[in-house]
Amino acid sequence: MITIGQLARYVGVSIKTIRVYHDKGLLPEPDRDASGYRRYGANDTIDLIKIRTLAEAGVPLARIRDLRSATDEEFQQALREIDNELTDRIRGLQATQGRLRELAAGQLAPLPTEVGAHLVNLARWRFTPRWVGLQRDLWILVFATYPDRAVTLFHDQAEILANPALRQLFLDYDHAHDLDPDDPRINDLARRIVEATRERYGPNEPPELDAASEIPALIQGTVNASSPAWQRLDMLIRAQLNT
């Protein structure tokens, strides 16, 4: 027979934990000996090991208490269910670990292969690294929040950039980053972008995300915040498209 302190050391839990298990009805309290100490036997040790193992597997204490009265068949079935739950949790943790490693490598989320190829093309077309990085981050946001709509939006932009004349508008947008907001080239670029937009879409609206989504405003706000010239360009484009 051993004391509660010895039991705690053998099983690898704290005395406080054993007392909690007593209070929760998981582990019956043994009678006290003539000296007033509670003494534990082999069965108590085995029971405590079972409780600790189930608790470490994430099984709620109430469920562990119910399993104490289960038949051997019921207990084995419960263990199989717990094992399956653990497998699902492990897969989830592995996926989280993968995303964590991508984050450490500077990749917030995986992008479709065609988007990666598109970003390579941007560099080949002499877009600045700043623009390529911005596009990467924005596509990550769109694909993470609206994966279905993101495909349509991406294909629309890829089709635009495949046209040399329209691609030049984006290049001019990119290179306007460092212009003075009052530079007359900003006004001219806004006019050309509006004309190209109307020619491409006519009376229809360009593809967009859910009408109630705040993502487009977040994206445009991110773009505008990086350059006063881009902010003014956006203001001019919106004003002209709404007239």
Side-chain angles (χ1 to χ4, degrees):
M1 304 296 288
I2 58 176
T3 65
I4 189 171
Q6 292 171 317
L7 176 64
R9 288 194 300 274
Y10 291 155
V11 178
V13 298
S14 67
I15 293 175
K16 180 179 179 181
T17 296
I18 294 176
R19 287 174 175 156
V20 168
Y21 292 162
H22 286 329
D23 292 339
K24 298 291 184 181
L26 278 73
L27 185 68
E29 291 189 62
D31 295 331
R32 297 181 183 274
D33 62 14
S35 301
Y37 293 102
R38 296 192 184 281
R39 298 290 180 173
Y40 298 82
N43 287 338
D44 297 313
T45 305
I46 293 171
D47 286 345
L48 184 56
I49 291 172
K50 290 180 180 179
I51 294 169
R52 184 205 62 189
T53 303
L54 291 170
E56 288 177 346
V59 181
L61 295 185
R63 187 178 181 187
I64 296 175
R65 183 180 60 243
D66 293 340
L67 287 176
R68 284 190 53 80
S69 59
T71 64
D72 184 63
E73 182 179 350
E74 291 171 338
F75 186 74
Q76 292 301 321
Q77 176 60 31
L79 290 182
R80 287 191 291 270
E81 292 173 359
I82 294 167
D83 184 78
N84 290 335
E85 292 168 4
L86 273 176
T87 299
D88 291 340
R89 285 168 53 195
I90 289 170
R91 287 172 180 163
L93 287 171
Q94 288 174 334
T96 300
Q97 184 183 52
R99 291 193 294 271
L100 181 64
R101 289 174 177 173
E102 289 170 355
L103 178 61
Q107 301 172 353
L108 298 183
L111 285 170
T113 302
E114 59 182 339
V115 179
H118 172 73
L119 295 173
V120 172
N121 282 335
L122 290 181
R124 183 170 59 84
W125 288 328
R126 298 186 177 179
F127 282 89
T128 64
R130 174 191 59 239
W131 181 271
V132 176
L134 180 63
Q135 291 297 307
R136 181 199 64 232
D137 291 347
L138 296 183
W139 281 122
I140 285 174
L141 176 60
V142 173
F143 272 92
T145 53
Y146 290 90
D148 296 332
R149 293 294 299 148
V151 173
T152 300
L153 292 174
F154 170 72
H155 286 163
D156 182 64
Q157 185 180 105
E159 186 178 305
I160 291 172
L161 291 175
N163 182 314
L166 296 178
R167 183 165 69 238
Q168 186 60 51
L169 287 177
F170 278 82
L171 279 166
D172 291 345
Y173 199 124
D174 176 14
H175 297 146
H177 180 276
D178 297 324
L179 293 179
D180 186 281
D182 295 323
D183 191 305
R185 285 174 290 182
I186 298 293
N187 295 64
D188 179 65
L189 179 56
R191 176 187 58 78
R192 290 189 289 127
I193 291 175
V194 169
E195 289 176 355
T197 301
R198 286 175 173 162
E199 182 177 349
R200 178 173 176 79
Y201 300 108
N204 300 318
E205 292 290 333
E208 60 180 11
L209 299 178
D210 188 298
S213 173
E214 297 179 355
I215 297 300
L218 176 61
I219 290 174
Q220 192 60 56
T222 300
V223 172
N224 291 349
S226 66
S227 164
W230 281 358
Q231 183 176 16
R232 185 161 188 273
L233 188 55
D234 176 54
M235 180 189 68
L236 291 171
I237 292 170
R238 290 175 184 275
Q240 293 178 36
L241 285 175
N242 290 331
T243 59

